[in-house]
Structure formats: structure tokens, C-alpha cells
Amino acid sequence: MSSGGIRGLTGFRDFFPEELALRRHIFSAWRRVGARYGFTEYDGPPLEALELYTRKSGEEIVGQLYEFEDKGGRAVALRPEMTPTFARMIAARAAGLPKPVRWFSIPQLFRYERPQRGRLREHFQLNMDIVGETNPLADAEIISAGIDALRELGLGAADIVVRISDRRLIGALLDAHGISAEDHVPVFGALDRLEKEGEDGVRGRLAEYGVEKEVATRLLAAIRQPLEELAAAHAGDEAVAAAADRLSTVFAHLDATGFADFVRFDAGLVRGLAYYTGTVFEIWDRRDELRAICGGGRYDDLLKALGGVDLPALGFGMGDVVLTELLRDRGLAPDAARRVDDYIVCVSDAERPLALGLARALRDRGRRVLYDLRPRGVGRQFKAAHQAGAGRAIVLGPQEVERGVAVLRDMASGEEREVAIETLAGPRPDETRGEEVR
């Protein structure tokens, strides 16, 4: 490293103007969708008590956190996820909140992981959660919101797919195949590796948990079936039938919403996190070139464990890192070219005071205005206007100013016309009694 040169930390991003423009584009789309679905935005502190995360995920999570002891001797951590903070906040006001609660947030999260494509040590994430509702329509609603958060950015059914399953269904399936309840969590974890390791890899993992080869083969064959076939094959099992019926209802709601082309049943999807209790889902790009864009599901017991409030809940997290990669791959990143509305060109320095007053008047009307900060020739000022992406140039010359007019040039077409300076500036917004000034 050169003397005095300090590089950014590995896994953290600098948001130069073009990167920040894309981030704001994503956040704006997320907020529009949140509003359309009736969600209210919230936020919490980026620093929390370490116990908030170990209580949810166990001591093993500590190695993935930015954790330390603060100056008061308290064990704290930068937030790696939003759900524990969400649970704490819901618990604090649970009695007074009208149900169901619909909240969303866009926090910055931190994890000490090995950086790779689609995963960094910090990222922003859309979190959307519904609390206080058990009806399958709530499951379809939260999945629909996730789909629309991506549709709003230009992604369609040809770009993304939602893989949906249900932990109750897979748990009942494990019971039906003779796998004991105490082995469900590790078996869930093994099944969650199916896409990465294939059936042979998962069989090996299942063998470690005492699952016989024949049972593993039948189980893997079962989870490869469509939902209707899986339910029919286990028609005599009430638990399987009930869970399959509920999940079928979720799919029916999504179909009625118009999202049938976006979703598919995937019994191999169980999501390794132990706190999920029902519907689980992930959103992937159709080409399978990236990591999951979004993941979530129903966690009916978590709020009680973390906040002491017994309320059903479900939600998802959608990270900006993978999504940014996908938007760029699909050519959907916005044009980050610099853009201003007006560039004021002074033919001589004598017009400078008028230019400053005009700029103030135009800015008061909400227009984005630039002018040169030092005397330069007209040609160089027009070049600067082009570089700034100005929509129009307002030329102030001595002869025109004497007549009370300015030359207005359309920077795209090159067409010019004279406009009265008084008309160009127009009244300030507070003088129009709220009337929109165009």
C-alpha cells in the first residue's frame, strides 16, 4: 500500500454516484410496493445486545458477527439480520398494535463472512413481515409482495421463480417415512443441501443421522413429486394430507392473484433455519446463475421465543447485493448519467448577478440548475451543459438582457427561442397557493 493510502475494508462497498443511483432506484421500488400492500416502514438500531442473536441462533452464530464489548462492558454486535430487532419492537407494543401488523424495513446488515459474488460483509435488505394472522391468504400475500418487489424493477416470470414448500408438510413426510421427531432438524438441514450436493450427497448426510438407505431413497423420490402426486401417494396420512391441503390453498391464492407463472412447488426446499414452522419460500433467478434473491416463510413461534409475545408471524428478507447483480445482468440498471434541468450560460460577466437571481428563482420552483463558477467562453459553457446532461440552456447575453429576454436552447434538438426573463423565472411556489408549477 502506498504511503498514506487507506483502502476500503474487504467486503464493504463504496457507493459512487452511479452505484448510489442504482441503490436508490431499488429502495424506491421497494418502498412503492410496501405502500401499495399497506405496509408501514420502521427501523431499529444497527447495534444490539449480542444475546438478542445468540438467543435466536445459538452461540455458533458469534463467529459470523461483528461483535465486541463496548465501553460499558456490554456484549454487543452489529445487526446481522432484522428479525430479532423486529421481534423486540413488536413485543414492546404488541398489546396496542392493530392486527395483523404489516411492517417493512430496509436495514443495513453486517456479517463476517468470506466475500464472494452475491455475498458481502455488509448489505441492505428489504424485510417485510405480517404479524397476527394464520390464514393461508397471509402466506400468499407475503409471497405476492416479494414478487411485486421484483416486478417493480422490471423482472418478470422469465427472470425469476419462487420455490415454495412447507415445513409442516416435510415434517409430516419424515414422520410417514419413520424418521423420528428429534432427527427432523438435522434431516431438514441435509435436504436443504439437495440443490448443491445432489441426491448422493444428501444420502450420505442422511446416513450420518441413521436414516437407512432404502428410507432415504423413498424420501428423496417423494420430495421430487409434484404436490398433488405427493399428497395422493400419502392419502392415508392425515398430517401429510392436512399440510398438503393448506399449501395447495396458498398456491390457489397465488394463482387467483395472477402469479401462477412465477411459482412452483419444491419439497426439497426446507430452509435450514430451525425457527420456520410452516410455509417457506425462496426466489431465484431462472438461470440459476446467482444465489437466492429472497428467502422467507412462516415463523409462528419465534416472537414468543425472542420477545415473549405469542403471535403468529411470517415474512421475508430480500438482499440488494444479488439483486443488483441480476438487474445488471438483465440490463435493468437505470441510466446513471448526470442530469440537470437548466444550465445558465452567461455571454459576459455582466450577466452574472442576473444569472444568480434567475438560478435562485428556478431552484425555488424545484428545477435542477447549474451555471459556471468562473468566467469561461460560451462554447465551453455549452460543453459543460452537455456534460451535465442539461435539458435546456438559458443564454443570457447583453443585447437580449437589455430587451428583457433570454435565449432558450433545447439541448437535445438544438432549437432556440426567446423567452421573457420575467416569465422564465415565474412566481415562487408559495405565491401560487400550492399550484403546481411546470
Side-chain angles (χ1 to χ4, degrees):
M1 185 182 297
S2 60
S3 176
I6 300 176
R7 299 177 182 175
L9 294 174
T10 300
F12 290 77
R13 293 170 290 179
D14 292 316
F15 288 93
F16 291 96
E18 56 272 20
E19 283 87 14
L20 186 58
L22 178 53
R23 191 180 93 186
R24 291 181 63 186
H25 174 67
I26 292 171
F27 288 7
S28 294
W30 285 349
R31 288 191 167 102
R32 288 194 299 271
V33 171
R36 290 174 196 164
Y37 276 75
F39 283 74
T40 303
E41 187 168 7
Y42 74 99
D43 200 0
L47 192 69
E48 291 272 21
L50 178 61
E51 183 186 2
L52 188 64
Y53 306 114
T54 57
R55 185 184 297 181
K56 170 178 174 284
S57 303
E59 293 293 333
E60 60 272 15
I61 196 176
V62 174
Q64 302 173 29
L65 305 184
Y66 281 89
E67 54 85 22
F68 55 95
E69 185 178 288
D70 71 5
K71 293 182 179 180
R74 294 171 288 264
V76 297
L78 290 175
R79 62 186 177 198
E81 57 178 318
M82 198 62 178
T83 302
T85 296
F86 172 74
R88 180 178 58 74
M89 292 173 66
I90 287 290
R93 297 191 176 181
L97 291 171
K99 312 300 187 298
V101 178
R102 291 175 179 241
W103 283 7
F104 83 94
S105 185
I106 308 176
Q108 188 176 21
L109 307 176
F110 305 88
R111 286 209 177 207
Y112 193 81
E113 300 180 302
R114 183 173 64 85
Q116 52 191 291
R117 189 184 186 200
R119 173 170 287 182
L120 299 173
R121 289 176 175 168
E122 59 79 21
H123 71 282
F124 292 89
Q125 179 170 291
L126 171 64
N127 278 73
M128 299 186 81
D129 296 88
I130 298 175
V131 175
E133 183 55 70
T134 60
N135 193 286
L137 185 55
D139 302 57
E141 178 83 341
I142 202 74
I143 294 170
S144 296
I147 294 171
D148 272 338
L150 297 173
R151 288 179 65 239
E152 186 73 7
L153 292 162
L155 295 164
D159 303 298
I160 59 172
V161 59
V162 188
R163 301 173 181 172
I164 305 174
S165 185
D166 192 300
R167 289 287 281 265
R168 286 163 297 202
L169 174 61
I170 308 307
L173 195 63
L174 298 187
D175 288 338
H177 286 264
I179 297 173
S180 61
E182 57 266 24
D183 289 330
H184 280 195
V185 171
V187 171
F188 282 154
L191 294 177
D192 207 38
R193 308 290 298 179
L194 187 57
E195 289 292 329
K196 294 181 180 179
E197 299 181 3
E199 291 193 3
D200 289 341
V202 172
R203 281 194 189 90
R205 287 180 176 270
L206 293 176
E208 294 176 10
Y209 305 130
V211 179
E212 296 179 0
K213 184 177 180 180
E214 294 77 8
V215 174
T217 299
R218 290 198 303 271
L219 177 62
L220 290 171
I223 67 173
R224 291 296 192 190
Q225 293 176 305
L227 180 57
E228 297 80 5
E229 293 181 15
L230 189 153
H234 299 77
D237 189 301
E238 292 184 6
V240 172
D245 183 65
R246 179 186 171 88
L247 189 55
S248 295
T249 301
V250 174
F251 276 101
H253 289 321
L254 290 168
D255 190 8
T257 306
F259 289 144
D261 290 343
F262 285 85
V263 302
R264 69 176 175 87
F265 174 61
D266 183 354
L269 173 68
V270 293
R271 292 191 57 77
L273 299 175
Y275 60 77
Y276 285 116
T277 59
T279 305
V280 289
F281 65 95
E282 291 179 348
I283 305 181
W284 293 75
D285 75 287
R286 287 278 186 182
R287 301 176 189 173
D288 281 331
E289 296 173 343
L290 299 166
R291 308 175 70 90
I293 307 163
C294 172
R298 180 169 284 281
Y299 53 94
D300 288 338
D301 301 329
L302 186 61
L303 294 186
K304 184 177 181 180
L306 291 180
V309 176
D310 191 6
L311 285 171
L314 68 160
F316 68 77
M318 178 182 295
D320 74 314
V321 178
V322 176
L323 181 54
T324 295
E325 296 275 358
L326 182 59
L327 293 177
R328 286 174 173 158
D329 287 352
R330 298 294 193 273
L332 294 173
D335 182 5
R338 191 178 176 194
R339 178 75 170 82
V340 296
D341 297 307
D342 302 318
Y343 200 102
I344 302 177
V345 175
C346 296
V347 174
S348 70
D349 206 42
E351 291 80 49
R352 180 70 61 187
L354 177 60
L356 295 177
L358 179 59
R360 161 70 187 278
L362 291 169
R363 286 168 175 166
D364 279 351
R365 296 174 64 195
R367 296 186 68 81
R368 295 164 291 184
V369 183
L370 286 180
Y371 48 79
D372 262 30
L373 298 177
R374 62 176 61 186
R376 291 201 296 179
V378 170
R380 297 190 68 181
Q381 291 181 67
F382 272 111
K383 182 178 180 180
H386 277 293
Q387 290 175 336
R392 65 183 188 178
I394 301 172
V395 185
L396 301 177
Q399 296 179 355
E400 290 79 11
V401 169
E402 189 175 344
R403 293 188 289 115
V405 299
V407 175
L408 208 63
R409 175 183 289 188
D410 185 295
M411 295 299 290
S413 67
E415 295 180 0
E416 294 184 348
R417 59 188 176 93
E418 288 188 349
V419 179
I421 295 173
E422 185 179 56
T423 303
L424 184 66
R428 291 179 55 173
D430 58 3
E431 297 171 343
T432 65
R433 296 183 181 180
E435 180 182 350
E436 183 179 359
V437 180
R438 297 185 182 274

